[in-house]
Amino acid sequence: MKKILLITALGLSFAFAGSVAPVNNALYQKECASCHFGYQPALLSKASWEKVMGNLSDHFGTDASLGKAESEQILSYLVTNAGSGKITANNTDMQITKSSYFIRKHREVSPKMIAQKEVGSIANCIACHTTADKGSYSERAIVIPNYGRWE
Amino acid sequence: MKKTVCFILLTLTLLNAKEFNAPMKTYMDTLSAEAKATNPSFTGFDALRGKAIFESVHVSKKGKEISCTTCHSTNLKNCGQNINTNKPILALAPSANAARLTDVAEVEKWLRRNFNDVFAREGSALEKGDVLTYIINQ
């Protein structure tokens, strides 16, 4: 019995199966998702989020600075809900796209699919993952603009 | 004759000038006082100077040509688009988007960020007041 529980627990901690908890923080949604897709906290580790939130005045070349109170609230939301397991394994970078799991999952996506204006960047999740805002990245929900379904 | 035309034009401009809401008026007064302290000959903000600032082209931190219009477009009644992420940006003109220029904290935050991105420095009180005067009149 104990073994089954352990296996289940391990299974759960490594599970991704294409879905993560959706964003449920209004301040994060307002401050971060006004400029880019609202990446779910589980897509990066605690260490990664700390790096991101530690340098908002130079956020990938853009000033995304916040007031102290807002910044602290958002950091707290992110680290409390940060990811673990295979999505964030070996990735303490600030970019979700640097995770080896992410890279492996996107290896068959051709550069021209990403470069087209409807997508623009591999970091623009919602461009192809039609249910990404709900935390669902399942293959069945992938539609690549101008190319159609992935499956 | 020339004087009369000028007078009529000035009156029309003043009649057309849009009003800020109370919190924004207070903020504009603070900017005015700051601008006056820096330059005693300051007489008021100017939408045309604001337009020139808004449309001036600079080199961004990423080495690309950039201006406020890069993301906001030249017609402020239209939606814009974030150049880095492709995310749509709602119209800046209060006539097209009533939520604009209503929250001083938001206005200050975006002026700080966007001046840094486009000009690689913060805006002066004069520049911020001129740009806001330009935007509210769109």
Side-chain angles (χ1 to χ4, degrees), chain A residues 30-31 33 35-36 60-66 117 119-120, chain B residues 61-62 82 84-88 106 109-110 112-113 116-117:
Chain A
K30 171 176 174 269
E31 297 297 352
C35 295
H36 55 67
F60 304 103
T62 292
D63 184 346
S65 56
L66 285 168
K117 68 177 191 318
V119 182
Chain B
K61 282 177 272 184
K62 295 182 171 181
N82 184 307
N84 298 313
T85 66
N86 283 0
K87 188 127 186 169
E106 279 294 293
K109 182 182 79 184
W110 284 108
R112 178 186 73 235
R113 291 172 166 185
N116 270 330
D117 282 348

Side-chain angles (χ1 to χ4, degrees), chain A residues 17-19 129 131 136-142:
Chain A
S19 77
H129 292 273
T131 53
S136 169
Y137 293 84
S138 106
E139 282 199 25
R140 269 170 297 162
I142 299 171

Side-chain angles (χ1 to χ4, degrees), chain A residues 6-93:
Chain A
L6 192 66
I7 290 167
T8 314
L10 269 176
L12 282 174
S13 69
F14 285 99
F16 175 49
S19 77
V20 286
V23 170
N24 65 350
N25 182 289
L27 188 65
Y28 173 81
Q29 194 70 32
K30 171 176 174 269
E31 297 297 352
C32 307
S34 59
C35 295
H36 55 67
F37 174 71
Y39 306 107
Q40 288 83 12
L43 298 176
L44 280 178
S45 67
K46 182 173 175 283
S48 292
W49 284 125
E50 282 166 348
K51 276 188 203 168
V52 170
M53 293 304 291
N55 192 23
L56 282 182
S57 57
D58 185 14
H59 187 62
F60 304 103
T62 292
D63 184 346
S65 56
L66 285 168
K68 195 167 177 279
E70 289 83 4
S71 178
E72 280 170 3
Q73 276 186 56
I74 291 174
L75 175 65
S76 153
Y77 165 66
L78 292 170
V79 299
T80 308
N81 297 283
S84 57
K86 69 180 175 188
I87 319 170
T88 59
N90 305 315
N91 185 22
T92 53
D93 196 276

Side-chain angles (χ1 to χ4, degrees), chain B residues 99-116:
Chain B
R100 290 300 189 190
L101 309 190
T102 57
D103 181 337
V104 174
E106 279 294 293
V107 168
E108 285 193 274
K109 182 182 79 184
W110 284 108
L111 285 173
R112 178 186 73 235
R113 291 172 166 185
N114 294 356
F115 261 100
N116 270 330

